[in-house]
Amino acid sequence: MSFVDKMMQTVPGEILPVPEDYMANELVGNLFTIWAGGFGIAVIPWALYCYFKKQNDIPLLLIIGGFICSLLEPMLDHLGHLWWPTNLPGPSFVGYDLNIPYLIPPCYVFFIAMTGYWAYTRMKAGLDVKGLFITWLLISMTDVIMEIPGTATQAYIYYGDASFKIFGFPLAWGWLNGTSMLMVGVLVYLIEPYLKGWNRLFLIPSVIVAMGASYGMTAWPYFMSLNWDMPWIATRLLTLLSLVMCLMVVRFAAALVASAPANDPVGALRSKLAHA
């Protein structure tokens, strides 16, 4: 049967369950929970300090958004072929028949919301196109550095034939997650100057919107490579295509940020388009 014939064949949907006997070493599981989730808990006092002492509400609102955004995790785990051990501390909630451990909500707070906030502060300080690409690269590397200790010790597993694995970590998640974190900063940079009073609460869903939109734009080739029956070379090419999509999104974001001053980004862009 050819690849095209397989594409046209109707098959029932199926969620591959986590093996009942998949358990992490207890010490490894506890240490990784602290490693991955501890950062998110640690930034909450700092965000409260910013809110009450510096009248900066952005970190606290993004933290709330990060907690809510963690509800996307089981969808990404299902599409991206990730298993959590059955004995990790948790679950914090269950989705797609997957138990999501306690570490995930605070992990989203730090590695999605707060990394996005750091990107936002870099943009406020002024970034050209090269600077935004460097910021994206640094953010992507934080994901790689955070995840490899977990996959190398089997605190969790990316199962199946994922492309370009290092110590069990598919490198595609570095650029996919890095782009999603960067886009949180881009969206906050574009909308924050216009949010006054109660409208400041719209910063909360900005985390969810930016992350979800980023995956919609960039991750679909990679998810195809994992979930479609196709030749080995096609899975690798589609994974590389996801990198190309990330680079395109970052370049588009860089054009917006480099052209828009922090005090009125959308107004400046409109003015430039009107005189183009």
Side-chain angles (χ1 to χ4, degrees):
M1 183 181 295
S2 70
F3 176 47
V4 175
D5 291 334
K6 289 179 180 179
M7 287 178 61
M8 301 305 295
Q9 185 179 24
T10 302
V11 295
E14 182 180 9
I15 295 177
L16 191 60
V18 178
E20 293 183 4
D21 61 349
Y22 171 39
M23 292 188 291
N25 176 278
E26 184 175 357
L27 178 61
V28 167
N30 290 333
L31 288 177
F32 186 74
T33 297
I34 296 170
W35 163 251
F39 292 104
I41 300 300
V43 298
I44 293 177
W46 169 77
L48 291 171
Y49 170 79
C50 291
Y51 181 77
F52 289 108
K53 295 295 185 180
K54 296 189 175 182
Q55 287 72 53
N56 179 6
D57 59 354
I58 302 175
L60 186 59
L61 294 173
L62 295 187
I63 280 176
I64 297 171
F67 274 118
I68 299 172
C69 191
S70 67
L71 295 173
L72 298 179
E73 177 67 17
M75 176 184 70
L76 297 176
D77 290 348
H78 174 53
L79 292 172
H81 292 191
L82 186 148
W83 283 335
W84 296 105
T86 55
N87 64 331
L88 277 188
S92 53
F93 60 92
V94 179
Y96 289 78
D97 293 340
L98 295 170
N99 293 334
I100 305 304
Y102 287 147
L103 66 91
I104 285 298
C107 191
Y108 269 65
V109 164
F110 188 82
F111 289 100
I112 302 296
M114 289 297 94
T115 306
Y117 176 72
W118 176 76
Y120 158 78
T121 61
R122 295 270 296 151
M123 296 170 205
K124 287 276 287 186
L127 284 178
D128 57 11
V129 172
K130 179 182 177 181
L132 198 78
F133 268 96
I134 292 174
T135 301
W136 169 75
L137 182 61
L138 291 173
I139 291 173
S140 298
M141 289 307 300
T142 65
D143 183 75
V144 175
I145 292 169
M146 187 276 290
E147 292 213 46
I148 282 182
T151 57
T153 58
Q154 294 197 335
Y156 60 100
I157 290 176
Y158 286 101
Y159 66 89
D161 184 27
S163 304
F164 312 125
K165 280 186 177 180
I166 296 180
F167 297 108
F169 174 67
L171 290 178
W173 286 107
W175 56 72
L176 293 172
N177 288 337
T179 305
S180 72
M181 298 173 199
L182 179 74
M183 292 308 293
V184 171
V186 171
L187 183 57
V188 172
Y189 179 79
L190 293 175
I191 68 173
E192 188 275 332
Y194 309 102
L195 300 178
K196 310 298 180 184
W198 286 103
N199 286 333
R200 302 287 293 176
L201 294 177
F202 282 107
L203 287 170
I204 295 174
S206 69
V207 181
I208 307 149
V209 170
M211 182 181 175
S214 178
Y215 277 105
M217 291 184 287
T218 65
W220 58 270
Y222 180 61
F223 292 155
M224 285 175 62
S225 77
L226 293 174
N227 294 287
W228 289 27
D229 188 5
M230 62 179 66
W232 176 90
I233 188 63
T235 64
R236 272 56 187 173
L237 291 175
L238 281 170
T239 301
L240 291 175
L241 178 58
S242 72
L243 174 59
V244 173
M245 299 301 295
C246 287
L247 293 173
M248 291 174 60
V249 169
V250 175
R251 182 62 182 87
F252 177 71
L256 289 176
V257 171
S259 303
N263 60 332
D264 187 17
V266 176
L269 291 172
R270 285 175 177 169
S271 177
K272 288 191 177 186
L273 289 173
H275 292 88

